[in-house]
Amino acid sequence: MAKPKVATTSLAGCFGCHMSLLDIDDRILKLVELVDFDKSPINDIKKFSGRCLVGLIEGGCCNEENVLVLQEFRRHCDVLIALGDCAIMGCIPALRNTIPLKECMEEAYLNGPTVYNPSGTMPNDLDLPLLLDKVYPVKEVVKIDYFLPGCPPSADSIWAVLTALLGNKKIDLPYELLKYD
Ligand code: SF4
């Protein structure tokens, strides 16, 4: 019987949530017995090969490419999980939300104390995805089924969620996996 598929992506994130997924250590061997990884930076598969049971989304949406990838995940995955605080609320990348985008760009490329840019050129290659006016939590772009908080969520909590979903069981994380003090 074909194994269910899991896809993952990192939008406006730091890959720390993916690192946490890999922190399940030797349980990764059990995981690959239970699922096939589809589109994911873990295996460098760039395109969906079919329907996925679970899509893990790290990071919020800071540019148009993030939005397109997120919409693609929604179309291909039965269950979408916002993995970590960047996906859930924007987190560190969303610190720019209080500053107008023009001001952010000028600070990064013209006025910042370590900037050397005598021509005053701003990034303008057509291949660069357009920045959004702010960083959006993924739930503001597509429907999200589950939210797993943490920066990053612990490996144990990711494992608990994945095994519950794969076993068609209710996700019921114990307090120890969701406290952050
Ligand atoms: S939630 Fe934390 S670990 Fe995950 S992508 Fe954001 S900053 Fe990185």
Side-chain angles (χ1 to χ4, degrees):
M1 201 171 82
K3 290 188 274 184
K5 295 181 181 189
V6 172
T8 79
T9 190
S10 179
L11 306 177
C14 75
F15 275 93
C17 291
H18 273 78
M19 291 296 113
S20 199
L21 170 60
L22 297 178
D23 267 350
I24 62 175
D25 296 329
D26 56 348
R27 287 171 291 184
I28 198 95
L29 299 174
K30 178 76 179 162
L31 188 59
V32 294
E33 280 176 15
L34 296 173
V35 303
D36 283 328
F37 275 90
D38 202 270
K39 176 180 166 74
S40 171
I42 292 172
N43 51 20
D44 207 26
I45 293 178
K46 311 279 191 209
K47 292 186 175 166
F48 281 100
S49 66
R51 189 86 198 146
C52 292
L53 175 66
V54 180
L56 296 171
I57 311 292
E58 170 189 304
C61 290
C62 75
N63 62 37
E64 60 172 355
E65 183 186 40
N66 294 158
V67 172
L68 293 175
V69 170
L70 181 56
Q71 290 171 332
E72 188 187 23
F73 266 71
R74 183 66 279 177
R75 281 197 301 277
H76 284 87
C77 301
D78 295 338
V79 174
L80 270 196
I81 302 176
L83 182 68
D85 291 346
C86 286
I88 293 172
M89 66 182 90
C91 198
I92 293 171
L95 290 175
R96 79 161 162 95
N97 288 0
T98 57
I99 304 166
L101 182 56
K102 182 170 181 291
E103 207 177 308
C104 283
M105 295 293 285
E106 288 173 351
E107 183 68 11
Y109 294 102
L110 299 177
N111 304 327
T114 58
V115 172
Y116 177 73
N117 183 5
S119 69
T121 306
M122 302 284 262
N124 59 5
D125 193 296
L126 291 178
D127 283 341
L128 291 174
L130 281 179
L131 284 177
L132 303 179
D133 60 333
K134 60 178 189 165
V135 178
Y136 291 84
V138 291
K139 71 173 187 295
E140 293 188 21
V141 180
V142 297
K143 177 181 177 290
I144 297 293
D145 301 293
Y146 295 99
F147 299 83
L148 186 54
C151 180
S154 68
D156 288 342
S157 65
I158 297 172
W159 174 254
V161 168
L162 282 177
T163 49
L165 281 173
L166 293 169
N168 206 18
K169 297 196 178 108
K170 186 175 165 221
I171 298 175
D172 191 12
L173 294 184
Y175 173 73
E176 295 72 44
L177 291 184
L178 283 174
K179 72 177 177 64
Y180 301 100
D181 51 3

